[in-house]
Amino acid sequence: MLVTSDGSSQRRSNGRRLKLLTTQPARAPTCLAAHSSGVVAAGAMDHTVRLVKANGPDPRHGVHFPQAVTTVAFSEPSPQRPHHDGWLAIGGFAGMVGLYSAKTLKEIWRRSVSAQNSAMTCSAFSNSDPEEAAELWLALGTQDGSIHT
């Protein structure tokens, strides 16, 4: 489904049903994030994040994470930083978060966010600053009610 800038939606398929991109071979998705390039990241309890493009599977396939995946978020690339293609953040069931290149899926870092290993429940990047005066923020929510930045 496309959502236009005025908030209206447009169906992409036959007008009655949304287009099925893929099915997860092992487990149902626990979280989704869409990137402006048309890639969707789908996290699952089988420790994987699978990537799917609007026209089919992404040839990069995805990422294996050391924990069940409970949240994913994309940052967008920056026109002021041509070498930066955006980030993919992955949060896990036992409080771990990993940061990956959105283009290459190379891991940048991985760390535990919660001292109690509380499950990550949500994540979001701040919007890119058009003048790049500020760095991106990654906000992370955990099952114990905490919000980390």
Side-chain angles (χ1 to χ4, degrees), residues 112-124:
S112 180
V113 172
S114 170
Q116 296 80 21
N117 295 330
S118 187
M120 307 298 299
T121 57
C122 54
S123 58

Side-chain angles (χ1 to χ4, degrees), residues 16-85:
R16 297 191 141 177
R17 294 187 175 191
L18 298 178
K19 180 180 177 181
L20 175 65
L21 293 179
T22 189
T23 57
Q24 297 278 85
R27 300 262 181 146
T30 55
C31 50
L32 300 168
H35 191 268
S36 62
S37 66
V39 173
V40 174
M45 296 303 278
D46 65 357
H47 300 219
T48 60
V49 175
R50 291 174 181 84
L51 299 179
V52 180
K53 289 187 176 182
N55 60 354
D58 188 307
R60 296 172 296 170
H61 303 290
V63 174
H64 182 77
F65 198 64
Q67 299 176 353
V69 178
T70 54
T71 184
V72 290
F74 276 116
S75 75
E76 292 295 329
S78 167
Q80 284 74 20
R81 294 183 184 165
H83 63 280
H84 175 69
D85 293 305

Side-chain angles (χ1 to χ4, degrees), residues 122-141:
C122 54
S123 58
F125 280 97
S126 62
N127 290 330
S128 182
D129 183 337
E131 297 178 15
E132 294 298 325
E135 296 296 321
L136 289 176
W137 285 75
L138 173 61
L140 303 158

